[in-house]
Amino acid sequence: MKKIWSLTKNDLFALWRTNKTLFILLPIYGIGYAVAGSEISFLSVLSVVLGGMIAYNSIAYDERSGWNRFVLTTAYSRKDYVLGKYLLALTGVLGGTAILLLSDTAAVAMGRVAPEDRLLSGVPAIVVSTLLLISLALPLSFKYGIEKARILSYLMIGLLCGSAGLLTVFTREQVFSLDMILVNTFLPMLGAAAFILSAFLSVHIYSRKAL
């Protein structure tokens, strides 16, 4: 695990050097929602989705720079490399979720969003939608390369953002009902299962791929 976390930290530093805009946009989206209110709540949702997709950007950077081949000449294995990207994605999702929760709390505190309209009830749907997106996008990226997987992933972003938005609306009024408590319990289990299975699949794919 220490080796995988070491790769993840290296990826974060590399992305900060090459793509600071992405890291700056995430809190800006949250601030925009907190200031403007419900009309642009989708920006706060994007902070979670884009947070998860930093792994996708990292793979693209590695392919352009040749890092994905160089790192395998060191003490790291292909399995370490793949799992490092999944840990990077999970770190991004957690960071984006923290931004969403902080901006949602700030929006309510400043009176920009009514308590009954906050995004809190939809957080499980947003996080799980993002994990499903990652679970689909990363195996495609490892198998076909980032460029071939890019268009399909963009389509999935739109689809999953839409589904997260619909689930947010659906759960907003019913978050404390028995049915919604069961849904909000089941959704994280579904996302976690898909994420873990995807990691196993990506390790299998990348272990057989010619670089």
Side-chain angles (χ1 to χ4, degrees), residues 1 4 8 22 24 26 32-33 38 48 59 74 81 90 93 120 129 135 154 157 160 165 167 184 186 194:
M1 187 63 184
I4 296 170
T8 299
L22 176 62
I24 294 170
L26 297 182
Y33 165 59
S38 298
V48 181
I59 294 172
T74 63
Y81 177 79
L90 185 59
V93 170
L120 181 61
S129 293
S135 299
Y154 285 155
I157 288 175
L160 291 173
L167 283 169
N184 286 335
F186 172 73

Side-chain angles (χ1 to χ4, degrees), residues 24-158:
I24 294 170
L25 280 177
L26 297 182
I28 287 177
Y29 286 156
I31 293 170
Y33 165 59
V35 172
S38 298
E39 291 77 9
I40 57 170
S41 60
F42 69 92
L43 286 181
S44 200
V45 175
L46 276 178
S47 68
V48 181
V49 177
L50 292 180
M53 292 305 287
I54 62 173
Y56 197 71
N57 290 309
S58 178
I59 294 172
Y61 171 77
D62 288 353
E63 289 186 358
R64 290 194 302 268
S65 66
W67 170 258
N68 58 327
R69 293 186 295 275
F70 171 77
V71 72
L72 297 180
T73 65
T74 63
Y76 297 101
S77 67
R78 294 191 181 209
K79 179 181 178 180
D80 295 332
Y81 177 79
V82 170
L83 294 182
K85 299 305 180 188
Y86 276 83
L87 182 56
L88 178 63
L90 185 59
T91 301
V93 170
L94 294 176
T97 302
I99 291 171
L100 185 154
L101 293 174
L102 288 172
S103 62
D104 196 40
T105 301
V108 173
M110 294 188 296
R112 306 305 299 173
V113 174
E116 64 271 15
D117 292 331
R118 65 185 308 180
L119 293 174
L120 181 61
S121 60
V123 168
I126 295 166
V127 171
V128 170
S129 293
T130 304
L131 290 178
L132 291 175
L133 167 64
I134 296 166
S135 299
L136 291 170
L138 289 187
L140 288 172
S141 301
F142 285 120
K143 183 171 181 62
Y144 299 111
I146 209 72
E147 293 303 327
K148 291 182 180 179
R150 190 183 299 275
I151 295 177
L152 181 58
S153 293
Y154 285 155
L155 294 174
M156 288 190 294
I157 288 175

